[in-house]
Amino acid sequence: MAGLALRSTHPLTLPIFLSALLFSLLAGCQGPAKPPEARDTVRIPIPTDPAEFSFARAHEIWSLVLTEYIGDSLVSYDDQLAIQPRIASSWEWTDAGTTLVFHLRQDMAWHDGLPVTSTDVLYTVKVMQDPKLATTSRAAAFQEISGVRAPDRYTVEVKYDRPFAPALAGWTAPILPAHRDLEDEEHIGCGPWIFDRWETGERIVLRANHEHAISPPLLEGLEFEVISDYSTRYAALRAGRIDVCPLLPKQHDALDADAELSTRYKVVSYRLLYFFYLAWQGAGEDSLFEDPRVRRAMTHAMDRRGLIDRFFSGRGTVGITTFHPDTWAFDDSIDPWPYDPERARELLSEAGFRDSDGDGVLDRDGRPFRFTLLISQSSKYNEMIATLIQSELAKIGVEVKIEAHEFAVFLDRIRSRDFEAMLSGWHLDLEPDPFELWHSSQALKGPNYAGLQDAKIDEWIEAAREEFDLTRRRGIYSKIQKRLHELEPETIFFYPTSSMAYDARIEGFEAGPAGPFRSSPGPCAWHWISSPALAD
Amino acid sequence: MKPARFVALLLRRLATGLITIVGVTLVTYLVLAELPGDPLAALTPIDQRMALSVDQRAQLRAELGLDRPVLMRYARWAGRLLGGDFGRSVRTRRPVFTEIRRRLRPTIELSVASLLLVTCIGLPLGWILAKRAGSRADTATSSLLLVLYALPSFWVAIVLQNLLAVSWGLLPLYGRTPAGGDPGLWGRLPFLILPAACLGLHQLAFYTRFARNTALDGINSVHALFARACGLREGRVMLTHGVWPSLVPLATLIGLILPSLVTGSILIETIFSWPGLGRLFYQAVLSRDTPVVLGMTVIIASLTIVGSLVSDLLASTLDPRQRRGKEAEL
Amino acid sequence: MTPPLRIGGGIVLVLLALSVLAPWVASSSSSFAIVPFGPLELDQEQILAAPSTTHWLGTDQVGRDLLSRLLHGGRQSLATGLTATLVAVLLAALLGAAAGARGGLLDTAFCRMTDVVYAFPVLVGAIAMLGQGSGEDPSLPPSVRVGLVIGIFSWPVLFRFVRSEVRRWARSEFAASARAVGAPSLRLALLHLLPAAAIPALVPASFIAAGSILAEAGLGFLGLGMQPPEPSWGNLILDGMKTVDTAWWMTLFPGLFVFATVLAFQLVGEGLRRHLAR
């Protein structure tokens, strides 16, 4: 029989054999990574292939970004979040705020050379209002339109049933080409970037539309590399295979600490249009959270600032309400509920919760304060934040059980409102209208997951939609924010700050209010420095 | 084997294969229908404005036939499949066939590469070890193989990726082609090394040991002793009593690798961003993209059947003694 | 006892002992504790801390002691591995013996059944059996359920092995003489052929034990293993992957634990093979 596997082997045999195997495998392969040579394109990582290249059906973030690059819209946000002209050179409201008239530029062309006209706008409205064709999240804004007509090739009149102040924001959506089929594989648009090719699972390549009338790009193209793993993405940045890379807090710290990397790359930090929140299920007979004092107590019990500092390297802002701190509608006179476990205990005891049996867990009428926190496995942050919340609430005598589900199951439970508390995140629009988040019509079927039904808030939301004066609209939103703060239907855990690293030789890279990719002018302003001193 | 009997055998196997496919797809269909979770999850983000209105959801459910009994749905799906229509993906609205076809080539490349690794390195290595059984080289390599088998392949993938690609920059970090154009098969080769090695790692360890042990049993057998006594040279003894018999069970087992190379690559594909079928399948299952899952199931089932047929045929060709018995059982 | 058997068996026993005793060995409230931290306790001052004298193998992203989590995770993973092996061996032995001894239609039916199991997408099966009401089913602990899934999908390999062994024996003079005295074939299979086939089947069974530890880790990687925050080796490896560029200990140690266990099971298998070959 063969010799004895472990005993008769020289201790060094294994390492020697391993390295021999490795080197024979590697002989003849390329050498260590060279610093990337200067290019005229920028490479950006994306986590998966976008599901769609047709805006009418875009429902994922990268599908939206790419269709916005390929397409162009009547108006857009500028870097101060004011609406600026794009295809529409000017517009006016008539008929007491129920008709919106756009005057289109005459020098815009589709990538195949045909001019962009009012016919295309009419076609876009038709598609976006057809539930069979439009499955994009941005189709909602078009449902308010009651009629549209084109008096001539470059004028469009849009009618609304009632005055609708957020209407212009809806027109930041790309216009679709009337002469092309939605299934068209060429993905024709009229934007600053032309669809070049899609190598499935590998990359999407866009090339610059230098003929673009409004913002011709300075680069020659953009390459979106599909890299699903965060560590791989960061490694790809260091190896020079990509030029731009979002950083996790730990990666940002590591990059700052590395002298060589921090000269090769610059980092912009910006508050994401995103927040993590806990929705407390307030509806139902036996809900623990029907009393606003209980919900406020939950918020008071969490040392959110401390947690952000310790676990996210301080990169985040304690949340107050769903109104983003960087938008014009934000009321900065409201302070977040501070970390105050004493106050939390007081509020809970006012609501009837005491530890009457001395087991360390609060109870009321014999029922212990114990609940299940539902999370989805889709984001790596959910489990971490849930664990922290569990440990924070344990300190005031509240027992949390974490239940993690795969995304489809989580979704099902949330949509049927089958949860006690849940943790998730939310992408905000730049338009602050909170109708979908807080109107009572959304309490059972929409994204108002906490099920808040408040007559005052409903009234204010509806009033704000008809108010064209920004100062007065901000006044109404301020009232909504104060009321939300009192009721605390959700604990807005925090607004994370994202860090985006980019090659130091790229100029014109700005964070902007919606992040470097979705703010105007975005990649159109990027260009490589040609100076030889820096180019190497 | 006579041609007529061969054809009859083939037909019989294809018929049972068809029954197997029906069985597998039916069971998968029933399981998918019972899975908890929103069947339109692929189109419903939880963290941003809802894409679909209530009416649209109802309409899509009708389109997918979700309001009909599950057996009727299956019959309709199977009928369309016979006409070559795999249906459309819920997530991308593209035909399932297109989705699969786009990722087929990378999957084949990766599978062939790791199969080659197993057959061209693993088997000869196993035979050489059998010939040198008991030597220090044999002992060392055998223990190394034990070690290789014990390492979780995705863990090895991460460690090797960080060592070879990140720290030393010897191999590409991820992907199948460099940005800026496909350099052809030769240029893509460096991209293939790490994923193929990690994917084939366990099989390499397993089959090398297997080949060594069967070949060793063969050359130590009474028959081999007799052959040597008759004056047969050692090389010939090795070939007829070591190599040849060890091919028979190996053929059976290699037929079984075929499907597992497609589904077993999810982790490796994720780590190396390899654009293959494994990730498509994983994503489809998680987002309840039923048409894609079923399309993939048909493909995996077909591969299993083809694999087991090929390995049975190989085995009976390699081992004349088995023919009678094999045919009886087929 | 051959040395591989002794070494492998030793490692398996030590791991088993540590895992069974984990609630006492690794706990902040036990007086026998070697590791004075529970697997779920957060140490907010030590987040992603490298191995030190306080935390021997370091801490994870929320400041939990890695060694404590590995020991408690071993409980789950070994339970999974043993369940999987038991299920696979039982299914394979019973069905394989019946198929091998009876042959004919029964044999064909079982063989096609293995084809179906082979061809069935494991991922769908795993989600169906693990996803539903995760963690709420009190009848079976999650580790056992994961083991069941793995066992159900891994018996066919063993089945083929048992079946061919039983066939070989069924054709032997021994079986012929048993039949000659009128023993019914199924009883023959269960009472005489199965034990004969069972001993050589121990070797592939040890591979299944090893494979199911790896499979559990793989399922954890795909988010289908144990419910977080409960540790299992699969979950810990997954956590390690997320921090591979910032915390090497999170990647290294879970990998080593899995490696040692799988190696030990293999050594047991290899030892048994040699023992039997004598």
Side-chain angles (χ1 to χ4, degrees):
Chain A
M1 222 45 250
L4 307 166
L6 291 175
R7 200 180 55 191
S8 63
T9 312
H10 188 273
L12 277 181
T13 315
L14 186 64
I16 290 171
F17 192 90
L18 260 177
S19 28
L21 193 79
L22 276 181
F23 282 107
S24 58
L25 244 155
L26 300 174
C29 294
Q30 65 197 64
K34 293 177 281 289
E37 62 242 59
R39 283 190 305 270
D40 42 16
T41 61
V42 166
R43 291 179 190 150
I44 303 162
I46 54 175
T48 53
D49 277 321
E52 273 299 338
F53 290 100
S54 164
F55 175 71
R57 296 194 299 235
H59 53 86
E60 296 172 325
I61 192 77
W62 284 105
S63 300
L64 285 167
V65 171
L66 286 169
T67 50
E68 285 165 7
Y69 285 5
I70 296 167
D72 217 323
S73 51
L74 292 189
V75 295
S76 73
Y77 289 102
D78 67 9
D79 52 5
Q80 302 299 311
L81 293 181
I83 299 284
Q84 63 177 357
R86 286 294 286 188
I87 302 176
S89 53
S90 64
W91 60 88
E92 67 258 354
W93 284 101
T94 57
D95 301 339
T98 57
T99 305
L100 181 55
V101 183
F102 287 110
H103 304 283
L104 309 189
R105 299 171 70 110
Q106 308 196 358
D107 53 359
M108 288 292 289
W110 296 103
H111 295 156
D112 57 4
L114 291 172
V116 179
T117 65
S118 50
T119 322
D120 297 308
V121 181
L122 299 194
Y123 172 74
T124 305
V125 174
K126 198 180 120 222
V127 170
M128 297 302 262
Q129 288 191 330
D130 186 341
K132 283 203 174 65
L133 299 176
T135 48
T136 171
S137 48
R138 300 200 59 188
F142 288 84
Q143 309 315 315
E144 304 286 335
I145 296 171
S146 59
V148 60
R149 64 181 208 97
D152 63 60
R153 258 168 84 81
Y154 295 103
T155 311
V156 182
E157 280 180 26
V158 190
K159 287 213 168 291
Y160 295 87
D161 278 336
R162 53 204 155 91
F164 187 53
L168 265 178
W171 287 102
T172 57
I175 297 302
L176 305 168
H179 64 291
R180 290 281 179 158
D181 192 75
L182 283 177
E183 304 266 341
D184 186 18
E185 293 276 307
E186 276 181 74
H187 310 302
I188 290 293
C190 59
W193 305 96
I194 303 173
F195 176 85
D196 186 67
R197 63 181 194 277
W198 173 35
E199 296 164 22
T200 309
E202 297 188 76
R203 63 183 57 83
I204 293 106
V205 181
L206 306 182
R207 56 171 206 279
N209 177 9
H210 293 303
E211 312 298 312
H212 194 260
I214 307 163
S215 55
L218 301 170
L219 294 168
E220 288 303 317
L222 297 173
E223 293 169 286
F224 295 88
E225 295 270 307
V226 179
I227 313 176
S228 39
D229 184 70
Y230 269 92
S231 311
T232 314
R233 209 183 287 178
Y234 182 51
L237 179 81
R238 285 178 290 160
R241 279 195 65 181
I242 51 175
D243 308 310
V244 176
C245 178
L247 300 176
L248 301 179
K250 287 282 164 203
Q251 293 169 340
H252 191 167
D253 294 343
L255 188 126
D256 281 347
D258 185 312
E260 194 246 328
L261 284 178
S262 49
T263 48
R264 260 171 64 199
Y265 298 101
K266 288 185 189 162
V267 180
V268 286
S269 288
Y270 56 99
R271 208 156 18 204
L272 288 176
L273 284 168
Y274 186 85
F275 55 80
F276 286 101
Y277 67 98
L278 287 126
W280 312 107
Q281 182 57 264
E285 288 282 293
D286 55 348
S287 165
L288 285 164
F289 302 109
E290 86 279 53
D291 187 335
R293 286 175 299 191
V294 178
R295 306 193 291 249
R296 280 210 307 270
M298 296 295 110
T299 311
H300 275 303
M302 302 171 199
D303 180 12
R304 292 182 285 166
R305 186 69 256 162
L307 295 176
I308 297 167
D309 287 344
R310 283 195 291 277
F311 295 95
F312 295 89
S313 307
R315 297 193 170 86
T317 312
V318 170
I320 306 167
T321 67
T322 53
F323 285 81
H324 194 276
D326 294 341
T327 57
W328 56 266
F330 180 68
D331 182 349
D332 56 10
S333 70
I334 306 170
D335 287 321
W337 296 121
Y339 173 53
D340 189 347
E342 267 322 301
R343 179 79 189 120
R345 279 191 202 97
E346 269 169 46
L347 283 168
L348 286 174
S349 95
E350 278 171 37
F353 287 99
R354 281 180 191 82
D355 186 9
S356 56
D357 51 5
D359 64 349
V361 179
L362 299 177
D363 53 79
R364 181 174 67 184
D365 309 330
R367 184 186 170 197
F369 202 135
R370 189 174 283 154
F371 69 91
T372 304
L373 177 60
L374 208 62
I375 58 171
S376 150
Q377 293 167 340
S378 57
S379 150
K380 61 198 168 323
Y381 284 128
N382 291 337
E383 186 200 327
M384 183 168 161
I385 298 176
T387 312
L388 298 176
I389 288 169
Q390 187 183 41
S391 121
E392 293 290 284
L393 293 186
K395 291 179 196 159
I396 59 159
V398 172
E399 206 175 288
V400 182
K401 181 173 172 279
I402 299 169
E403 215 178 289
H405 287 286
E406 37 155 351
F407 176 70
V409 178
F410 178 75
L411 186 67
D412 211 25
R413 295 277 300 269
I414 300 307
R415 287 183 53 82
S416 56
R417 305 293 191 258
D418 178 16
F419 65 92
E420 290 179 280
M422 67 99 158
L423 170 72
S424 187
W426 184 263
H427 286 283
L428 283 167
D429 281 343
L430 287 171
E431 165 58 48
D433 176 27
F435 183 85
E436 282 168 307
L437 286 172
W438 298 123
H439 196 268
S440 57
S441 65
Q442 307 292 313
L444 293 177
K445 58 182 177 67
N448 179 355
Y449 300 120
L452 177 76
Q453 305 199 32
D454 187 76
K456 276 188 193 155
I457 288 184
D458 283 358
E459 186 195 317
W460 290 329
I461 290 175
E462 284 156 27
R465 284 189 146 193
E466 301 194 3
E467 182 55 70
F468 285 81
D469 181 89
L470 272 195
T471 321
R472 284 207 295 271
R473 217 170 128 201
R474 184 189 285 139
I476 303 176
Y477 285 150
S478 170
K479 283 194 279 187
I480 297 180
Q481 286 169 70
K482 287 186 177 118
R483 180 92 181 137
L484 281 175
H485 191 51
E486 285 304 312
L487 294 176
E488 197 78 350
E490 289 173 354
T491 297
I492 309 302
F493 198 80
F494 82 120
Y495 286 91
T497 299
S498 176
S499 307
M500 190 71 68
Y502 63 99
D503 196 302
R505 295 165 300 169
I506 302 176
E507 281 205 324
F509 196 97
E510 303 278 344
F517 299 124
R518 297 188 80 184
S519 300
S520 167
C524 289
W526 300 352
H527 59 276
W528 291 92
I529 304 175
S530 44
S531 147
L534 274 157
D536 132 277
Chain B
M1 208 186 300
K2 283 179 196 140
R5 291 186 58 190
F6 179 77
V7 169
L9 170 75
L10 209 62
L11 284 179
R12 214 166 341 133
R13 282 302 294 262
L14 285 179
T16 48
L18 209 63
I19 295 170
T20 312
I21 292 189
V22 172
V24 172
T25 51
L26 182 62
V27 174
T28 312
Y29 208 102
L30 295 177
V31 169
L32 280 175
E34 286 305 309
L35 274 194
D38 189 333
L40 297 177
L43 289 177
T44 320
I46 192 75
D47 56 357
Q48 63 188 57
R49 196 184 267 185
M50 211 69 84
L52 301 179
S53 65
V54 177
D55 299 342
Q56 278 175 312
R57 287 182 64 86
Q59 181 205 324
L60 266 170
R61 289 179 68 93
E63 209 177 288
L64 287 168
L66 291 177
D67 39 9
R68 264 185 292 254
V70 63
L71 283 177
M72 260 179 71
R73 259 189 283 159
Y74 176 75
R76 209 168 69 128
W77 174 81
R80 285 194 184 158
L81 185 70
L82 287 178
D85 179 8
F86 278 74
R88 274 173 184 267
S89 156
V90 176
R91 176 169 172 263
T92 67
R93 315 292 289 142
R94 278 187 287 270
V96 171
F97 187 72
T98 313
E99 294 286 351
I100 292 178
R101 200 199 46 204
R102 281 176 196 267
R103 291 166 179 86
L104 205 54
R105 234 182 105 170
T107 293
I108 292 175
E109 282 175 10
L110 188 58
S111 314
V112 168
S114 47
L115 257 184
L116 281 180
L117 193 74
V118 174
T119 46
C120 296
I121 298 183
L123 301 190
L125 186 65
W127 296 324
I128 294 171
L129 293 181
K131 197 141 193 283
R132 307 235 168 121
S135 70
R136 295 190 78 159
D138 171 45
T139 320
T141 318
S142 294
S143 15
L144 176 77
L145 291 174
L146 275 177
V147 167
L148 282 188
Y149 187 81
L151 290 167
S153 61
F154 50 93
W155 186 78
V156 174
I158 292 162
V159 172
L160 285 186
Q161 186 188 40
N162 272 274
L163 276 185
L164 300 183
V166 179
S167 304
W168 302 341
L170 292 172
L171 286 173
L173 183 63
Y174 71 93
R176 175 172 160 264
T177 56
D182 190 336
L185 186 62
W186 198 244
R188 289 205 305 266
L189 216 54
F191 286 85
L192 202 54
I193 294 178
L194 275 182
C198 296
L199 185 61
L201 181 76
H202 279 176
Q203 261 120 14
L204 179 72
F206 185 83
Y207 288 106
T208 310
R209 267 160 52 89
F210 194 87
R212 175 194 173 274
N213 292 345
T214 21
L216 193 62
D217 288 347
I219 51 177
N220 285 343
S221 67
V222 192
H223 304 284
L225 195 71
F226 181 71
R228 276 194 209 95
C230 292
L232 215 58
R233 269 180 298 130
E234 196 52 38
R236 210 106 187 116
V237 174
M238 179 68 201
L239 206 64
T240 47
H241 295 278
V243 171
W244 203 245
S246 77
L247 280 176
V248 181
L250 280 172
T252 319
L253 288 169
I254 282 177
L256 298 176
I257 303 188
L258 208 58
S260 76
L261 283 176
V262 178
T263 45
S265 57
I266 300 171
L267 304 176
I268 300 296
E269 282 183 19
T270 308
I271 293 164
F272 293 106
S273 287
W274 189 266
L277 286 171
R279 258 159 81 207
L280 175 75
F281 184 59
Y282 176 56
Q283 199 174 33
V285 172
L286 282 196
S287 61
R288 303 289 185 267
D289 199 339
T290 317
V292 175
V293 177
L294 287 168
M296 288 288 298
T297 306
V298 171
I299 296 209
I300 296 166
S302 316
L303 274 179
T304 313
I305 285 149
V306 170
S308 102
L309 180 62
V310 167
S311 66
D312 281 354
L313 290 177
L314 264 179
S316 67
T317 318
L318 289 171
D319 184 6
R321 282 170 305 173
Q322 277 210 358
R323 271 182 209 160
R324 288 201 69 85
K326 270 280 170 198
E327 279 168 39
E329 102 195 28
L330 286 169
Chain C
M1 287 255 276
T2 56
L5 192 57
R6 226 176 294 153
I7 298 167
I11 300 178
V12 170
L13 284 181
V14 168
L15 283 168
L16 264 179
L18 277 176
S19 305
V20 171
L21 298 176
W24 295 277
V25 171
S27 157
S28 54
S29 55
S30 154
S31 44
F32 307 102
I34 305 171
V35 186
F37 303 98
L40 301 179
E41 282 163 36
L42 314 189
D43 181 348
Q44 296 213 5
E45 306 310 312
Q46 301 272 323
I47 295 150
L48 270 189
S52 65
T53 44
T54 350
H55 298 282
W56 295 351
L57 298 187
T59 60
D60 71 0
Q61 69 277 6
V62 287
R64 292 174 297 208
D65 186 80
L66 187 59
L67 180 56
S68 173
R69 285 178 74 71
L70 278 167
L71 293 179
H72 283 262
R75 252 172 111 74
Q76 312 286 340
S77 295
L78 288 176
T80 300
L82 294 179
T83 314
T85 315
L86 208 66
V87 169
V89 167
L90 271 180
L91 278 173
L94 291 177
L95 301 183
R102 283 292 280 276
L105 205 60
L106 189 78
D107 185 31
T108 316
F110 283 168
C111 284
R112 290 315 111 199
M113 204 158 101
T114 58
D115 278 353
V116 173
V117 176
Y118 264 128
F120 191 81
V122 181
L123 202 57
V124 175
I127 288 188
M129 297 174 69
L130 301 174
Q132 208 148 21
S134 324
E136 279 188 315
D137 187 353
S139 57
L140 282 178
S143 52
V144 174
R145 266 192 303 165
V146 176
L148 268 177
V149 173
I150 298 171
I152 285 172
F153 283 105
S154 48
W155 65 268
V157 185
L158 207 53
F159 165 85
R160 296 201 172 195
F161 194 88
V162 175
R163 173 178 164 276
S164 63
E165 281 294 317
V166 170
R167 276 175 83 85
R168 210 154 59 84
W169 276 93
R171 287 190 193 139
S172 66
E173 294 93 19
F174 161 66
S177 49
R179 244 181 249 115
V181 283
S185 60
L186 203 63
R187 212 184 95 198
L188 180 78
L190 287 180
L191 288 183
H192 300 286
L193 301 182
L194 188 58
I199 295 169
L202 282 176
V203 180
S206 75
F207 270 90
I208 292 202
S212 56
I213 300 275
L214 293 174
E216 191 274 331
L219 282 177
F221 181 90
L222 297 177
L224 289 170
M226 237 58 73
Q227 275 280 306
E230 284 299 323
S232 83
W233 287 346
N235 288 347
L236 293 172
I237 286 189
L238 178 63
D239 283 348
M241 296 203 39
K242 292 176 196 156
T243 52
V244 65
D245 45 6
T246 43
W248 56 268
W249 55 95
M250 293 267 294
T251 320
L252 181 68
F253 294 122
L256 280 183
F257 267 68
V258 173
F259 166 71
T261 314
V262 176
L263 188 65
F265 274 116
Q266 269 191 286
L267 284 175
V268 171
E270 178 72 14
L272 282 175
R273 195 182 67 80
R274 288 188 194 167
H275 194 71
L276 297 168
R278 276 188 184 161

